[in-house]
Amino acid sequence: MIVVTSSLLISMIKNLTLLDFNFQVVLCTFCMYSILLNSFCSNNISRDGRFFYLMKTYPVSPKEVILSKILFCSISSFVSILISGIAIWATGQLPFTKVLAVMIISIVLNFSIICLATRKDLNTIKHARGSENPSSTNFVIFLGLVFAVGFTIVAFLLSIWLKTMLNVSHGNFIIFTILFVASLIVLAFALLYLFRKLDNKYKEIVP
């Protein structure tokens, strides 16, 4: 799906503008699909149902319980990103270095979303019910769209600015660096949000 969508968008933009925005298009479709396809992370806590209370009796810390859930989702996310990246490279839409750059940014953003969604689910759940938490699911979808569109717009504007104002024809490294730093800032915020008073919140949840 990512390959087909990005291919159609690349062809359309080239026909309309005669410019090469392949990196930006692939980045947008990559981030959007990879985040939305991993929206199951939005129910990391509520999915357990009554088993969640049983886990609280185990001799493990709240951080270990939460991180184990995040790790499972992160592995699944990484595998889907890796497969998509190989498909994009194999179809010749981007060279290997650009595909690698898109994958790195997507991995960081996906991990950030997983952390944010897991804590959101923990915060909003009132009792473990073994079903979806609509609030967390909507939260993940909204953030996924915001990050995908936001990072793509920044990449488009940087590319145009570097080519027209600074006459830099090969500014991909600059664009990647700025986007990577931005994704790290998002990750830092996600980790702060995840671990802020985590132990207290974990213990507050009772049947």
Side-chain angles (χ1 to χ4, degrees):
M1 185 63 72
I2 293 178
V3 175
V4 175
T5 304
S6 59
S7 178
L8 291 174
L9 289 174
I10 287 172
S11 299
M12 182 180 67
I13 291 176
K14 277 187 176 180
N15 291 333
L16 292 174
T17 65
L18 301 179
L19 297 174
D20 180 6
F21 289 115
N22 295 16
F23 175 80
Q24 290 81 353
V25 171
V26 172
L27 175 66
C28 180
T29 54
F30 218 91
C31 289
M32 189 175 297
Y33 277 111
S34 60
I35 290 174
L36 295 181
L37 287 174
N38 289 289
S39 60
F40 65 89
C41 69
S42 62
N43 299 291
N44 263 346
I45 308 300
S46 56
R47 187 187 303 113
D48 289 335
R50 295 292 171 179
F51 182 71
F52 175 77
Y53 302 118
L54 179 61
M55 284 193 301
K56 294 183 68 174
T57 65
Y58 294 168
V60 292
S61 67
K63 288 185 176 63
E64 290 174 327
V65 173
I66 300 301
L67 288 176
S68 66
K69 296 178 175 296
I70 291 175
L71 179 61
F72 173 77
C73 290
S74 299
I75 293 174
S76 174
S77 174
F78 175 78
V79 171
S80 66
I81 289 174
L82 180 62
I83 294 173
S84 300
I86 293 173
I88 291 290
W89 174 70
T91 54
Q93 295 184 30
L94 282 180
F96 177 76
T97 52
K98 290 186 178 180
V99 171
L100 185 62
V102 170
M103 288 175 59
I104 291 172
I105 294 171
S106 297
I107 288 171
V108 175
L109 287 179
N110 269 267
F111 185 75
S112 302
I113 290 286
I114 292 170
C115 292
L116 290 169
T118 301
R119 183 54 194 265
K120 174 69 174 177
D121 193 30
L122 186 68
N123 287 349
T124 56
I125 191 172
K126 294 182 179 179
H127 57 86
R129 52 189 177 277
S131 59
E132 288 190 358
N133 185 344
S135 174
S136 296
T137 303
N138 295 335
F139 178 74
V140 169
I141 294 174
F142 174 75
L143 278 186
L145 293 174
V146 168
F147 285 141
V149 174
F151 271 63
T152 303
I153 290 175
V154 171
F156 268 113
L157 294 177
L158 283 173
S159 179
I160 294 172
W161 180 64
L162 289 171
K163 289 179 181 178
T164 58
M165 301 298 292
L166 300 182
N167 197 27
V168 178
S169 57
H170 299 286
N172 293 320
F173 179 75
I174 297 174
I175 295 173
F176 166 72
T177 302
I178 294 174
L179 294 179
F180 180 64
V181 171
S183 66
L184 289 180
I185 293 173
V186 173
L187 176 60
F189 173 79
L191 291 175
L192 288 174
Y193 176 68
L194 173 67
F195 291 114
R196 184 176 180 273
K197 298 181 180 179
L198 177 61
D199 290 357
N200 293 337
K201 185 61 183 178
Y202 184 84
K203 295 174 183 176
E204 286 175 4
I205 302 176
V206 294

